[in-house]
Amino acid sequence: MTRRLLVATTLGAAALLAWYVVRLDRRVAERLGGGAGHAHSRFFTAPFRIVAGVDVGVVLQRLDDLGYRNDHELAVPGTWRRRAGALEVRLRAFPDVDGDLPERHARLDLDGTTVRAVVDVATGTGRTHATLEPAPLDVTWNGAWERRRPVRLAELPAHVRQAVLAAEDVRFYDHYGLDLRGIARAVWVDIHAQRAAEGASTLTQQLARNFFLTPRRTLSRKVQEALIALVIERRLSKDAILELYLNEVYLGRAGATNVVGIGEAARTFFDKRAADLTLGEAATIAGIIRAPNASSPLRSPDRARRRRNAVLHRMLRAGFLKPADEEAARRVLLQVRGKTAPPVEGLYFLEQVRRDVEARLGEGALLRRRLDVYTTLDATMQHVAERGVADAIATLEAGHRWLRDRKTELEGAFVVVDADDGAVRALVGGRDFARSPFDRARTARRQAGSTFKPFVYLAAFQDAPEAVTPSTVLDDSPLVLQVGADVWQPANYDERFRGPVTVRTAVEKSLNVPTVRLSQQVGIDAVARTAAACGWHGGLPQVPALALGVAETSLLELAASYSVFPRGGSIVAPTLVRGVRAADDAVLFHATVTETPAADARATYLVHHLLEGVVDRGTARALRDRGFHGPLAGKTGTTSEYRDAWFVGYTPDLLGAAWVGFDDGRPLRLSSAATALEVWAAVMRPILRTQPAGAFTVPPGIVFRDVDPTSGLLPAAECPSSIHEAFVAGSEPRVSCVARPALLPSRREIEPFEEPIRMLGDWMRHALRMFERGGERRRPLLEERDGRWRRRYFNEDRE
């Protein structure tokens, strides 16, 4: 009976072990089936469409980024050639969630430095566009963001693989995943040292641990590690295992990401390809595998050099090197690229992509399966956005002492959205993801300030299209409102009142009091409904101050709401993920563009036309001086006490939104025109410079008239000044303006002289103060708040 029980137990254990090994085999096959380049979930940029009007330099740069090469014969896909007046490209086939595309031969007819037309060479017919394939990003998610640059074993010099083998597993080609001789040696060394002095894990075991197990040292984990190593050895060749190991070995942390693989380590430490590593550099990388952060050549060059020399000695003992070669490599000075690695771009964007994917497919989906995630990211725009935000914020800090040298650093955020389909092309959630991964573009919610005002006017144009037009005169005089038990008296930014002003003037100068009066006329509930219809999420408090932007929003939500203006009354939800495919090419998710009607097209165009005036004459007019000459509209926004600065600007094709502020809400002391507008200009100038020029669409039912800018009526001989204004047909003015007394100049005639006179008075008062205080040095601060320059003084000693 005992013997039978023993046999049964043994057979049961063997069956259980066999079942477990089969499960491991399936798990290994599923995870490693993609090879070194697809062992993890991958992220792709958006495909790039070549259309008429695009700069040919941009096209050539995109081709270079994708690895296309210049070939006069155009022998294979992935090549291009340039000849007089044209650029020919053999486009590669590629899979995509929007539909796989075959190989194509396109000719780009050029007009100077821009593309004039796109022609399909095979058929000789014109096309609207030619599409370049999405580019895989060098960043993957493995529980943390990791930088990878896959390499092929055949491309590496012999000393790279020999250095790794000498450092980690010199008998790699002689065992079957478990090195019994190495285990015996490690046990002997540990007994004599009375501690864990030497390990015995083979490269295959390390690979098994990195891919499938946790780093916890337990007996069960060691057993699993050994079994998985045997399965890997059965499934893959030795060279395939070594190649996979070289692409998966952890080599430290740089900034916000892990450095994984020989290819990425070569770029991070030595700024070169792995194929170009010298003997000493290869030995340095191999030497830090056991303690990558402690021995990093960026942080501890002396320790890295000692580890390099130890690996060189092991290579000599293993017969990989001659004594002269080893001695020469020891004498070479260890040179690394610098103390820090370059930051990884797009991490704020990718972090939101990861959250979106896991929200749809389940937490951990990117770890459990090999997925291809197709994003809306434009790598060039993302690079420009991150660089522009960083440079502009640094310039602001350099120019204003109170913005720097504080515990809380000045922050900025930016988004670039395609106005056509809501695709987010770039997203910057802060200055440095490694220091602060908190996303200020999508997660942070702040009061919108004056960027909310266009929705007040949109509500008015919709609810009373004949009573309220861009030429309607509003009252800019003191206003007192009873709000519950309190009395509220809104004021303009400069604490002045201008009397009768047109709607256009109120918008272009961002006047508070006329906007509040209009919201009271239309109704706060109507304003809230209009904003909600335009995609404004969250609370919209039913209080008079709603007209001035007390409602909170995120930067991305604000950009989405503003898309109603270039889109002519409809909105689309912003998207970062185009779709997801599994390893077997099954489409798990495909984003669709859903257009939602939000507002009347005519009313929307009226607001848009006012926002063009904000750029041409209003609070954002500085953009025209900075070289923005094409169709452009936008709105500045500064919240109470200068805590948040916003600017949203858009062309017919792209919409950009900028935010500047402190995380703790400390005042900036500067307006949006002096902060967020500068960030917007730094980002969008290089982006728009290479974009095709478009035009805003005028919907049916809109007419234009030349009107007097002061009265909003038709110009006459006595008041000849005019502005080209848009109206809903039937609401345009039909009477001429009234003549002004000849001896009394109009406000339009006086306004250009007001600021110089005020500034002269400020300087005179400043000089008088300096004289009275014996020349005590005081620093003038010139600031602009929604278009009005003001001078304030801060004593440098007591600032």
Side-chain angles (χ1 to χ4, degrees), residues 257-335:
T257 58
N258 295 335
V259 177
V260 179
I262 295 292
E264 186 58 43
R267 179 174 64 171
T268 300
F269 301 145
F270 304 110
D271 196 20
K272 60 172 58 176
R273 298 185 308 124
D276 299 326
L277 288 171
T278 65
L279 172 60
E281 291 166 347
T284 300
I285 294 176
I288 70 172
I289 292 176
R290 302 240 176 137
N293 288 307
S295 304
S296 170
L298 299 181
R299 302 175 183 176
S300 306
D302 291 339
R303 186 167 183 175
R305 186 175 60 255
R306 290 194 298 270
R307 292 294 305 150
R308 176 200 68 179
N309 293 342
V311 171
L312 290 172
H313 182 65
R314 283 174 174 250
M315 294 177 72
L316 176 64
R317 288 173 52 192
F320 295 144
L321 292 181
K322 296 179 181 179
D325 296 332
E326 189 245 2
E327 184 61 30
R330 281 175 173 268
R331 290 197 299 265
V332 175
L333 181 66
L334 179 61
Q335 294 181 331

Side-chain angles (χ1 to χ4, degrees), residues 446-467:
R446 303 276 192 133
Q447 288 189 354
S450 295
T451 57
F452 186 84
K453 290 177 181 176
F455 300 99
V456 175
Y457 292 92
L458 179 59
F461 292 151
Q462 287 193 124
D463 286 13
E466 295 185 359

Side-chain angles (χ1 to χ4, degrees), residues 303-637:
R303 186 167 183 175
R305 186 175 60 255
R306 290 194 298 270
R307 292 294 305 150
R308 176 200 68 179
N309 293 342
V311 171
L312 290 172
H313 182 65
R314 283 174 174 250
M315 294 177 72
L316 176 64
R317 288 173 52 192
F320 295 144
L321 292 181
K322 296 179 181 179
D325 296 332
E326 189 245 2
E327 184 61 30
R330 281 175 173 268
R331 290 197 299 265
V332 175
L333 181 66
L334 179 61
Q335 294 181 331
V336 295
R337 67 179 302 160
K339 292 184 177 180
T340 58
V344 179
E345 295 176 343
L347 287 182
Y348 284 108
F349 188 104
L350 289 176
E351 180 63 19
Q352 293 300 335
V353 167
R354 180 187 70 81
R355 294 180 182 182
D356 288 351
V357 171
E358 293 190 341
R360 287 186 172 274
L361 303 181
E363 187 175 354
L366 292 168
L367 293 175
R368 293 192 307 269
R369 310 173 66 178
R370 289 185 290 111
L371 305 178
D372 283 343
V373 181
Y374 294 86
T375 75
T376 61
L377 177 72
D378 185 298
T380 301
M381 292 187 188
Q382 181 68 34
H383 169 74
V384 170
E386 294 199 14
R387 182 176 175 181
V389 170
D391 291 349
I393 295 295
T395 300
L396 286 171
E397 288 180 329
H400 305 286
R401 180 176 153 190
W402 64 91
L403 296 180
R404 61 182 187 272
D405 302 329
R406 298 291 191 271
K407 292 182 179 180
T408 304
E409 287 190 324
L410 182 63
E411 283 290 353
F414 205 94
V415 294
V416 181
V417 181
D418 192 312
D420 181 53
D421 59 6
V424 180
R425 300 303 183 194
L427 185 148
V428 181
R431 298 175 66 177
D432 186 353
F433 184 89
R435 188 185 72 246
S436 174
F438 177 67
D439 188 350
R440 297 158 187 83
R442 189 172 182 178
T443 305
R445 301 188 66 83
R446 303 276 192 133
Q447 288 189 354
S450 295
T451 57
F452 186 84
K453 290 177 181 176
F455 300 99
V456 175
Y457 292 92
L458 179 59
F461 292 151
Q462 287 193 124
D463 286 13
E466 295 185 359
V468 182
T469 74
S471 288
T472 297
V473 175
L474 303 175
D475 183 15
D476 184 17
S477 62
L479 175 65
V480 179
L481 294 175
Q482 189 73 31
V483 183
D486 300 322
V487 173
W488 182 52
Q489 294 179 275
N492 294 322
Y493 53 85
D494 55 1
E495 300 178 357
R496 294 193 301 117
F497 298 96
R498 293 161 177 77
V501 296
T502 64
V503 164
R504 174 167 291 282
T505 299
V507 173
E508 291 182 355
K509 303 301 181 184
S510 197
L511 301 180
N512 292 338
V513 176
T515 304
V516 174
R517 285 188 184 276
L518 184 61
S519 69
Q520 293 295 298
Q521 176 183 330
V522 175
I524 290 297
D525 56 338
V527 172
R529 285 197 307 271
T530 299
C534 292
W536 202 285
H537 302 291
L540 288 163
Q542 304 280 310
V543 296
L546 176 65
L548 303 184
V550 297
E552 293 184 342
T553 185
S554 70
L555 186 64
L556 186 59
E557 181 181 303
L558 181 64
S561 298
Y562 263 70
S563 70
V564 72
F565 303 120
R567 291 185 55 82
S570 65
I571 58 172
V572 290
T575 57
L576 289 84
V577 181
R578 296 169 48 237
V580 181
R581 292 176 72 147
D584 59 0
D585 290 336
V587 177
L588 304 179
F589 161 67
H590 181 231
T592 56
V593 178
T594 303
E595 186 177 23
T596 304
D600 178 76
R602 297 172 303 171
T604 303
Y605 184 81
L606 294 185
V607 178
H608 155 74
H609 200 240
L610 295 175
L611 298 182
E612 285 188 288
V614 172
V615 174
D616 291 337
R617 294 170 298 274
T619 57
R621 63 186 178 276
L623 290 178
R624 294 303 187 192
D625 299 331
R626 287 164 171 74
F628 292 87
H629 301 307
L632 183 62
K635 184 68 183 75
T636 55

Side-chain angles (χ1 to χ4, degrees), residues 76-120:
V76 294
T79 57
W80 61 272
R81 70 183 176 193
R82 190 168 184 176
R83 53 189 177 83
L87 177 70
E88 289 189 56
V89 185
R90 284 283 303 276
L91 299 167
R92 300 186 185 117
F94 64 88
D96 193 77
V97 288
D98 290 332
D100 299 349
L101 289 184
E103 298 176 6
R104 291 135 296 146
H105 185 177
R107 187 183 76 242
L108 312 178
D109 293 335
L110 306 179
D111 182 8
T113 60
T114 60
V115 175
R116 176 171 52 84
V118 179
V119 179
D120 188 320

Side-chain angles (χ1 to χ4, degrees), residues 222-251:
K222 293 298 291 185
V223 172
Q224 288 180 313
E225 179 183 296
L227 291 174
I228 294 174
L230 293 173
V231 171
I232 293 174
E233 289 276 349
R234 189 187 69 84
R235 279 198 160 269
L236 302 178
S237 67
K238 282 291 187 178
D239 283 350
I241 294 173
L242 180 57
E243 179 179 294
L244 197 55
Y245 177 86
L246 293 176
N247 282 288
E248 293 300 324
V249 60
Y250 173 74
L251 290 164

Side-chain angles (χ1 to χ4, degrees), residues 119-186:
V119 179
D120 188 320
V121 175
T123 62
T125 58
R127 301 288 300 271
T128 58
H129 63 271
T131 306
L132 295 175
E133 67 268 26
L137 298 173
D138 294 337
V139 182
T140 61
W141 174 258
N142 193 25
W145 289 109
E146 299 180 342
R147 291 194 291 185
R148 299 172 184 271
R149 179 163 291 198
V151 297
R152 300 300 299 269
L153 188 64
E155 300 171 354
L156 299 175
H159 57 253
V160 172
R161 70 179 77 178
Q162 290 169 352
V164 173
L165 292 176
E168 294 299 314
D169 190 358
V170 72
R171 298 188 65 253
F172 173 71
Y173 283 94
D174 298 327
H175 61 67
Y176 296 95
L178 302 178
D179 186 1
L180 300 181
R181 186 191 303 178
I183 294 174
R185 183 182 64 251

